[in-house]
Amino acid sequence: MPTLFTDPRSGGVKKSSGVNVLPIIAETWAEVRDNSNDITYLLATYDANSKTDITIHAKGTGGIQSASQHFPSDAPIFGGARLESGRFVSFVYNGERIGVMLKGRASMHKNGVLNVLEGCDMEIKVWENMKEDDVGKSKDDASIAGTRRVEFNTAQGESQEVQRVVAEEH
């Protein structure tokens, strides 16, 4: 299923993004959206021998936490998940060993792929071994539970960043 994007220079004419999202992505996303189904996430990436075909990398139960354990370090991941709250989120993950050209291609194809994941409430940032409680946080904030970054100016006018431990709000 080729997806379209709107080029602002064309006066709103829709053009192809060049990505071909295979039908299995929409079918699997329908499983994730179905509350009576146990599937809670899907991960998609480029088909092995293609620069434009997007296919399933993984799907399963366990939401964001389980999905984040299946992120490859050498391929971009386009994904979506059902949270325990019943909300749906989408995301893109680029592993540490992805080359510049592949990152650029994934960036160009991102909207085309995520548009197939209809009904998402928001796009989130993800990382390896993420927990659902981390949704909406940065990786630094999530990895240092109970801390906040505070920036202040010293008497000499230099800006410094420190971490201050704060009591967790319950």
Side-chain angles (χ1 to χ4, degrees):
M1 152 188 335
T3 59
L4 302 174
F5 72 95
T6 304
D7 186 346
R9 299 169 291 179
S10 68
V13 175
K14 293 196 179 241
K15 295 185 175 186
S16 172
S17 65
V19 67
N20 181 29
V21 182
L22 299 178
I24 186 121
I25 302 297
E27 293 165 10
T28 304
W29 184 242
E31 291 179 36
V32 172
R33 299 262 314 156
D34 182 0
N35 288 334
S36 67
N37 196 319
D38 289 340
I39 303 296
T40 59
Y41 71 87
L42 82 82
L43 303 177
T45 193
Y46 291 98
D47 198 19
N49 297 319
S50 176
K51 293 182 178 183
T52 58
D53 292 347
I54 303 295
T55 190
I56 293 292
H57 172 73
K59 69 178 183 177
T61 61
I64 291 288
Q65 186 167 347
S66 180
S68 68
Q69 295 172 2
H70 295 284
F71 293 159
S73 62
D74 60 350
I77 289 291
F78 307 94
R82 177 177 4 129
L83 302 179
E84 289 177 7
S85 65
R87 298 183 77 175
F88 296 92
V89 295
S90 62
F91 52 86
V92 175
Y93 174 80
N94 286 312
E96 295 175 7
R97 298 185 321 163
I98 296 178
V100 174
M101 295 299 286
L102 187 52
K103 278 185 185 178
R105 186 179 320 118
S107 175
M108 294 295 295
H109 292 158
K110 173 185 147 184
N111 286 342
V113 177
L114 296 186
N115 284 344
V116 174
L117 308 182
E118 295 178 351
C120 287
D121 297 316
M122 64 183 144
E123 183 179 340
I124 62 171
K125 292 184 179 185
V126 293
W127 54 88
E128 291 177 354
N129 301 314
M130 180 178 175
K131 295 177 178 51
E132 187 163 329
D133 293 342
D134 298 334
V135 170
K137 298 178 184 177
S138 72
K139 184 176 181 180
D140 291 335
D141 291 341
S143 65
I144 308 170
T147 66
R148 288 205 180 120
R149 295 194 181 279
V150 179
E151 187 173 312
F152 66 93
N153 292 324
T154 64
Q156 294 82 18
E158 299 171 0
S159 179
Q160 293 184 344
E161 187 177 281
V162 298
Q163 291 182 357
R164 177 175 56 124
V165 176
V166 294
E168 289 191 29
E169 300 171 11
H170 292 291

